[in-house]
Structure formats: C-alpha cells, structure tokens
Amino acid sequence: MKRIKIALAGNPNSGKTTVFNSLTGSRQHVGNWPGVTVERKEGKFSYGGCEVDVVDLPGIYGLTAYSLDERIARDFLIKETPDVVVAVIDASNLERNLYLVAQLLELRVNVILDLNMMDLVEAKGISIDTEKLSRVLGIPVVKTVANKGDGIEDLKKAIVAPPKRPGPFQIDYDPDIEAAIERLSDTLKNKGLPKEYPLRWLIVKLLEGDAEILEKVKKLPEGSGIEEAVLKTTASLERNLGYDLETAMVERRYGFLKGLVRECSEKRLGIEERLELSDRIDSVVTNKFLGIPIFLALMWLTFQFVFALGTPLADLIDSFFGWLGTAAASGLTVLNAPGWLSSLISDGIIAGVGSVLVFLPNIMLLFLAIAILEDSGYMARAAFVMDRFMHALGLHGKSFIPLILGFGCNIPGIMATRTLESRKDRILTILVNPLMSCSARLPIYTLFAGAFFSKNQGSIIFSLYLLGIILAVVVARIFKTIFFRHEVAPLIMELPPYRLPMVKGVIIHMWERGSLFLKKAGTIIFAGVILIWLLASLPVGVEYASEESLIGRLGSALAPVLSPAGFGFWQAGVALFFGVVAKEVVVGTLGTLYGVEEAGLRSALLQYFTPLSAYAFMVMSLIYIPCIAAIATIKRETNWKWTGLAVGYSLILGWIVAVLIYQIGGLF
Ligand code: GDP
Ligand code: MG
C-alpha cells in the first residue's frame, strides 16, 4: 500500500484539530514535539489504496520562526518534508488566513487549500470562486465544514491524488527588491547554502532578517561573506525605501492577498449591512447642508445627460422628417396626386408625427436617468430632501421629481408621477406640471425676448420660468383645497437601502414608460394633428393656414378675445392654435403667417407687438394649454375629467395672467 505523509497547517482556531479528527477518527495518538512540551498529534487513515500519516501542526500565523510554534512547524515542513501540507483555513476570514498559505507556497511545499468554516462563509453572504483561487495559486482547493464532516471525503480524495508540484507561484516584491533578490541569487548560488531550502525563499527570509536562518547561514564556511552581502543589500534597499525592508515585504504579501481575495470572492451584503451602508451614504446624501446641493448637482447632471445626448438625436429625427415631408410631397406631385392629399401627408401626417417623435430621444434618456435614480434608491432620498419644501406647496416630497422633470418635457414629468402613491399627490402634480416651462417653450421665449428685450433676455426668460413655478404653487394649493380638502399626505418617507441598479432592470423600466408614450399618446396626437390640418385646409381650395381657412377664421374669431392681452390679431390666434400641437410650432407658424423666415421674423414681430404685448404673449404661450402630447398623457394617466380641468384651467389662467400683465403693465 502506498504511504504518504501529510501535515495540517493553519492559524489557531481554523479547525485543524477538527479536520484531523474527522480524517483519522480514532486512529491517533498524542505525543510531544522533540525537546519541547508542545503537543504533537499524529494519526492515520487509509483511502483510495493509500495509507496516510497525518500530523496536526501547532496553530501558526506565519513561518517567521518568531514563536516556538512557528519554529516547530517550519522545522517540520523543512526537515520531515511531508508529501502534502493541508492548509486548513477559516475561509470566513480569507485574507488574513491566506497569509500563511502564501508563505507555504513561497516555501514551495505541496499545498492543498482546505477552505474550512464554509458554513460561516455562507452565513456572512460571501461567495468564493474556488476554481479561480485554485487557478491563481496553482493548488487544489477543497471546501469543508469540518465540525459537520462536510467535504472531508473531498479532502481525502485530494490528498491521495498524485500531488502536483505547485505551479510557478511566487509573490513579486517591489522591483528594487526583486532586483536585489536576483543579484543575491547569483552571488549566493555557489556558497554552499543548505539545499533543503528553496533558494528564493532563503533569500527572502534573509532579507526579512529572519534570525534563525541568519544564524544557520553564519555557521557556513563562507558565512561571513554571505552575511555581509545580505546586510549590505538590506541597508541599501532600506535607504531607498525610507523604511524597514521586512515591513515592505509583508505589505507586499498582504497587498497580493487583498487583490486575490477581491478577485476570488464576492460579498453579498446582508440586509443589515446594506442598511448600515445605506445609513452611512445617507448621512451625506440627506445631510442638512449637503442634501440639497447634492440633489441639485444630480439633477443638473441628469439634464446635461438627457439634453446633451438627446438633442442631437432629436435634431436628426427632425431633419429626417423634414426631408421625408419634402420627398413625399415631390413624389406625390410626380404621381399627379391631388394637392390636398400631398398636403395631408406632408404637412399633416409626416410633420405631425415627426413633431411627436422628436421628443422620443429626450424622453427615453430621461426615463433611463430616472430608472437609474429610482433603482439605486436615490430617488427616495431626493424626495426626502425636498419634502419640507414640497409640503409648503401642499404636496409630497416625491412630487418634486416629476415637477423638475417637467422643465425638460412635461410628458415624462407627468408620467413620473406614477412613483407617487397618493392619488391626491398624483393628480395635483399632473395638473400643475404643464406650468413648468418645458424645453419646447424656450424657442418662443428666445424669439420674443431676443426681439423685444435684447438687453435682458436672460432675466426675462428666467422670469417666465419663475412665473411658472409660482403659478404651480398657487394652483396646487387652490386645487388641493377644492378637490382634496380631506385627504392627508402620508407622512412616512420610506428609504429603502441603496443597491446597484441592474442594467437589465433599468432598460426595462425605461422601455416600459417610453413605449407607453409612443403607443397611447401617439394615437391621440395623431388624431389631433389631422384635426388641425383639416382646420388649416378647409374649406376646400383655401391656401393652407391662411386667414380664409377655418383655422384662420378661428384665429380671427379669437382676436377680440386676445385683444385685451395686447395681441388681438388673427396670426397670434392661429399661432397659439398650432402651438397646441407642440409649443415650439408657435415660432414656425408665425414665420409662415408673416411670410418670413425665422431670421426676418424679429423685425416682422416688431410691427405687431410692443414689448409689453410680447411679454404677455410669452406668458400666454407658457400657460394657455398643455400641448397635445401632454394632454394625451394626462388623459392616459388620469381620466377625461382631470384632463378637461387641466385644459380648462390653463386656458382661463393663461388668458387672465396675460391680460393682467398687459393691462396693469399699460398703466406704467
Ligand atoms: P484548531 O485551533 O485549528 O485546531 O481548531 P479546532 O479544530 O480546535 O476548532 C476550533 C473551533 O472551531 C471548534 O469549536 C470547532 O468545533 C470549530 N469548527 C471547526 N470547523 C468548523 C467549521 O467548519 N464550521 C464551524 N462553524 N466551526 C468549526
Ligand atoms: Mg488544535
């Protein structure tokens, strides 16, 4: 029968004796290590046609020979050369326990790594990639729970398997130290150093100042020369390092192990640890002073992300539909199609659908950003940070996000209200969302502010944004008292632990919301577009969107109504009508009606508007009605009653505020 000799090495309390007992059962005896009163346990087992002698080494942390136990273990390993050393480690403290394993490997013994205490590892939520660990270290790795006997069979199998020389495992020290090791290897190769030690290990130990090895070397015939070479090298290395060489080498070993453990193990944080980590993040993120700046910075980043990335895509879609409209029109002319059909297709359908689809990149990106903020758990914090402020508006902290999103586009803003649990909060937030100046209003603002207030454009535009916010506060308060007097806001703000958002989840969330916009809003927008096209084309034979067309007549009919606001002419009425399709269409419409390109539009406007009526017109454009896409979305998210209210109140409010501005402004 084949006989092999193995030793169990490991830190104290790693379960060596338990493994030893499980391996050998009752076939064991206890003696003392030669010359000392340290207990030496030996035993036997046979497995797979092998008779295995097992020695339980004293518990040690390293092989430095600082302590008696370490010296016993090291001498045993070097002198009695066991065939296999089973490193029994407490795998729940992987990094610290692997230090000994690294030292065993440096000594070039045949190591089998026994990851013991796997039950504790699992309880801690750690998973260890044993295959990778085995690959990197070049040794077999076995998992055990020794006190339950789990994995002992695997361990036995690994022990009797023909031992493979450990792979070329080596810890690389700093380049300076490596160079020194190489130089010393050359110098000491033929100086009669004891053959039982691997040369590299010996040099490493000498450089570390290992007293026992140094003692041994000194006794050699060429000992003093060797000692001198080593001391000189150490001194010169320490001069360069600026600190102790042994520390440098120990640090390097731990550095290697830290990297190894990070590579080969993963910690799933338990719920308690996740909560604790969340608390620590929250102490910064929801901090009294830092909370709002962090929130604003993140919002700013979100907007940058959405608009910097989305706008070029939107422009692309825009020019595509522009091209498609022209191409379709000329194609239809070639085919001798009637003029109305070509107009329906290019002015109506293509332009209309295009005006909706241009929003898609921004909407998708915005939903992507929201999904990331939500899935990570930050959104709950943002709501928490803004809660006090929002309560002043009669809303919940969570309403803040939809409102701020409304500055980009009211549609995602309205859809983001789904995160609100209370119906009251949802509906109020939806109703006031169109008062947030979305990016489509900006072209109107810049056109008029540029023409009439070129000196203070920025402040004028800012005043419009601010006006929208103030009106939202007022309107929210009023509607709350009218419709939701008795409903109380939930006081609890839940703060789930943070987690890393999953790419898949984020994309699904983005797509779910984005495609809803496409599907449902799309149909209503489409119908709206056709309706406006009809109004602009009928009665048969009129010039598209001229004063004689139905829409022109509506504009004319509207003129007296708009006149108290200072813009009582049919073109303004028509522009506002078209603005329902999408707010930025107001600019293009005015251009068409005045028969000028956008560049010449400013001077044309100067003939019709005064600065005061221009401001009133901008205010009107801000408030008077949500665009078709927003109306469709409100309907989707609520019902016709609330949609009617949203349209109705904004029409009346827009008119009242525009008139007030024109009339009161006129007094000065
Ligand atoms: P030694 O100092 O390395 O010889 O460790 P022992 O074998 O004396 O074990 C130390 C303690 O750990 C004892 O209470 C064992 O019962 C316990 N133990 C050993 N192996 C395991 C294990 O896999 N899981 C757990 N939970 N405890 C273990
Ligand atoms: Mg023990």
Side-chain angles (χ1 to χ4, degrees):
M1 202 186 246
K2 198 176 149 206
R3 271 192 100 91
I4 58 174
K5 182 162 66 174
I6 70 164
L8 304 182
N11 292 8
N13 283 316
S14 60
K16 270 186 300 37
T17 304
T18 314
V19 170
F20 176 85
N21 291 338
S22 313
L23 285 175
T24 59
S26 57
R27 297 174 65 190
Q28 47 176 269
H29 72 266
V30 181
N32 270 346
W33 291 91
V36 289
T37 54
V38 176
E39 188 176 85
R40 171 172 172 146
K41 278 184 122 175
E42 282 179 85
K44 285 187 211 314
F45 71 92
S46 40
Y47 187 85
C50 264
E51 180 79 357
V52 183
D53 291 307
V54 191
V55 178
D56 187 15
L57 295 177
I60 49 174
Y61 294 102
L63 293 174
T64 44
Y66 280 142
S67 67
L68 180 60
D69 286 349
E70 284 184 352
R71 188 164 317 158
I72 291 171
R74 185 161 104 181
D75 285 348
F76 176 84
L77 294 174
I78 290 163
K79 300 211 176 95
E80 300 193 32
T81 56
D83 299 292
V84 171
V85 176
V86 176
V88 180
I89 74 169
D90 170 1
S92 68
N93 278 309
L94 200 54
E95 195 176 317
R96 198 149 50 87
N97 276 253
L98 279 175
Y99 189 73
L100 176 67
V101 179
Q103 296 221 311
L104 289 169
L105 288 170
E106 281 195 301
L107 192 53
R108 308 205 70 70
V109 295
N110 286 322
V111 179
I112 291 174
L113 180 56
D114 173 10
L115 299 176
N116 192 35
M117 312 249 180
M118 281 310 292
D119 52 336
L120 301 185
V121 172
E122 262 142 49
K124 278 190 177 180
I126 300 171
S127 63
I128 301 176
D129 185 344
T130 46
E131 219 153 280
K132 201 185 236 175
L133 199 56
S134 162
R135 200 154 11 96
V136 175
L137 295 175
I139 54 176
V141 177
V142 180
K143 294 180 182 179
T144 59
V145 181
N147 58 348
K148 296 209 190 82
D150 292 355
I152 296 298
E153 185 78 8
D154 294 338
L155 184 58
K156 285 182 176 170
K157 216 178 280 173
I159 290 168
V160 300
K164 283 185 269 162
R165 275 263 130 213
F169 172 85
Q170 133 176 347
I171 287 179
D172 294 317
Y173 298 94
D174 302 311
D176 282 357
I177 301 178
E178 281 299 326
I181 292 174
E182 202 161 317
R183 257 181 286 120
L184 281 174
S185 308
D186 280 343
T187 333
L188 306 186
K189 225 171 8 209
N190 305 311
K191 304 261 181 193
L193 286 170
K195 283 282 177 276
E196 66 265 34
Y197 303 103
L199 185 61
R200 183 181 166 89
W201 184 81
L202 205 62
I203 292 169
V204 165
K205 287 293 137 192
L206 286 170
L207 288 177
E208 278 184 308
D210 186 293
E212 195 191 285
I213 300 289
L214 208 56
E215 223 31 63
K216 275 206 174 78
V217 166
K218 268 198 232 169
K219 289 189 196 124
L220 297 174
E222 297 193 54
S224 57
I226 297 173
E227 191 192 6
E228 199 182 321
V230 169
L231 289 180
K232 239 165 75 189
T233 309
T234 310
S236 110
L237 283 171
E238 286 186 342
R239 243 194 332 272
N240 290 347
L241 278 170
Y243 56 96
D244 166 48
L245 184 57
E246 188 187 358
T247 309
M249 299 176 84
V250 172
E251 273 176 3
R252 195 71 179 201
R253 266 180 220 131
Y254 273 114
F256 168 79
L257 294 176
K258 205 175 197 58
L260 176 68
V261 169
R262 188 166 303 168
E263 272 294 306
C264 299
S265 76
E266 212 176 323
K267 185 154 168 57
R268 281 173 280 111
L269 294 183
I271 183 74
E272 256 167 50
E273 284 156 307
R274 294 233 326 274
L275 287 172
E276 195 184 306
L277 181 66
S278 287
D279 281 348
R280 247 178 295 147
I281 299 176
D282 277 341
S283 66
V284 179
V285 167
T286 61
N287 176 284
K288 212 183 332 169
F289 304 107
L290 294 176
I292 290 183
I294 290 176
F295 170 76
L296 292 177
L298 279 172
M299 281 299 125
W300 183 82
L301 275 177
T302 304
F303 270 67
Q304 286 298 329
F305 168 72
V306 169
F307 291 101
L309 225 61
T311 309
L313 291 173
D315 289 346
L316 220 63
I317 295 179
D318 199 26
S319 43
F320 170 74
F321 278 98
W323 167 84
L324 193 64
T326 323
S330 51
L332 287 164
T333 314
V334 170
L335 293 173
N336 271 328
W340 67 265
L341 182 63
S342 130
S343 168
L344 171 64
I345 291 178
S346 61
D347 298 331
I349 298 174
I350 294 179
V353 170
S355 71
V356 173
L357 284 186
V358 284
F359 289 122
L360 196 63
N362 284 341
I363 287 177
M364 282 293 180
L365 287 169
L366 207 47
F367 280 137
L368 180 69
I370 298 177
I372 293 171
L373 290 174
E374 268 179 358
D375 290 5
S376 66
Y378 180 75
M379 210 57 124
R381 272 72 188 183
F384 184 81
V385 167
M386 297 310 298
D387 196 44
R388 186 128 45 106
F389 177 73
M390 295 310 292
H391 271 292
L393 314 192
L395 290 172
H396 193 258
K398 283 187 177 177
S399 298
F400 194 77
I401 306 294
L403 291 181
I404 211 142
L405 292 177
F407 283 119
C409 175
N410 299 137
I411 293 150
I414 291 164
M415 288 167 78
T417 59
R418 292 171 175 218
T419 52
L420 307 177
E421 284 100 38
S422 122
R423 196 181 72 102
K424 174 209 86 175
D425 286 326
R426 280 201 66 196
I427 289 174
L428 286 180
T429 312
I430 288 174
L431 287 176
V432 301
N433 204 294
L435 292 171
M436 302 292 114
S437 281
C438 70
S439 57
R441 267 93 149 195
L442 203 53
I444 310 177
Y445 298 167
T446 36
L447 173 68
F448 279 86
F452 294 93
F453 306 94
S454 54
K455 290 228 171 62
N456 342 309
Q457 275 189 60
S459 328
I460 290 291
I461 293 177
F462 179 75
S463 75
L464 290 160
Y465 277 82
L466 196 64
L467 178 68
I469 297 170
I470 295 169
L471 288 174
V473 173
V474 175
V475 170
R477 293 238 64 144
I478 294 175
F479 283 165
K480 187 181 138 106
T481 24
I482 297 177
F483 298 107
F484 303 102
R485 190 191 299 268
H486 301 296
E487 284 186 47
V488 283
L491 289 174
I492 305 285
M493 301 275 286
E494 69 274 31
L495 292 177
Y498 289 96
R499 53 169 71 243
L500 212 58
M502 307 280 279
V503 176
K504 203 171 148 203
V506 164
I507 300 232
I508 288 174
H509 284 153
M510 172 188 82
W511 180 247
E512 271 175 354
R513 291 176 183 163
S515 57
L516 275 181
F517 163 74
L518 270 187
K519 262 185 262 162
K520 295 286 176 96
T523 50
I524 299 185
I525 292 162
F526 192 70
V529 164
I530 304 278
L531 179 69
I532 289 199
W533 175 82
L534 275 176
L535 290 174
S537 308
L538 292 175
V540 180
V542 294
E543 195 188 327
Y544 184 70
S546 63
E547 194 173 359
E548 289 72 38
S549 69
L550 280 182
I551 207 165
R553 286 182 214 175
L554 273 170
S556 304
L558 267 180
V561 181
L562 297 177
S563 149
F567 41 88
F569 28 90
W570 73 271
Q571 293 93 333
V574 172
L576 290 174
F577 242 104
F578 273 92
V580 181
V581 175
K583 292 287 170 98
E584 63 263 60
V585 174
V586 168
V587 173
T589 309
L590 287 171
T592 317
L593 298 181
Y594 291 126
V596 284
E597 283 300 302
E598 215 174 310
L601 192 50
R602 286 186 182 183
S603 45
L605 290 178
L606 289 171
Q607 297 169 21
Y608 288 85
F609 289 87
T610 64
L612 189 58
S613 67
Y615 192 76
F617 187 79
M618 285 191 273
V619 169
M620 186 68 176
S621 305
L622 158 64
I623 310 169
Y624 78 106
I625 200 170
C627 68
I628 289 187
I631 295 173
T633 313
I634 295 174
K635 161 65 183 67
R636 241 202 63 66
E637 298 296 318
T638 61
N639 56 29
W640 281 118
K641 178 184 132 198
W642 296 116
T643 313
L645 180 66
V647 172
Y649 98 76
S650 52
L651 278 174
I652 295 166
L653 185 68
W655 185 82
I656 290 175
V657 179
V659 169
L660 280 179
I661 283 172
Y662 188 69
Q663 296 301 332
I664 295 174
L667 300 177
F668 298 101

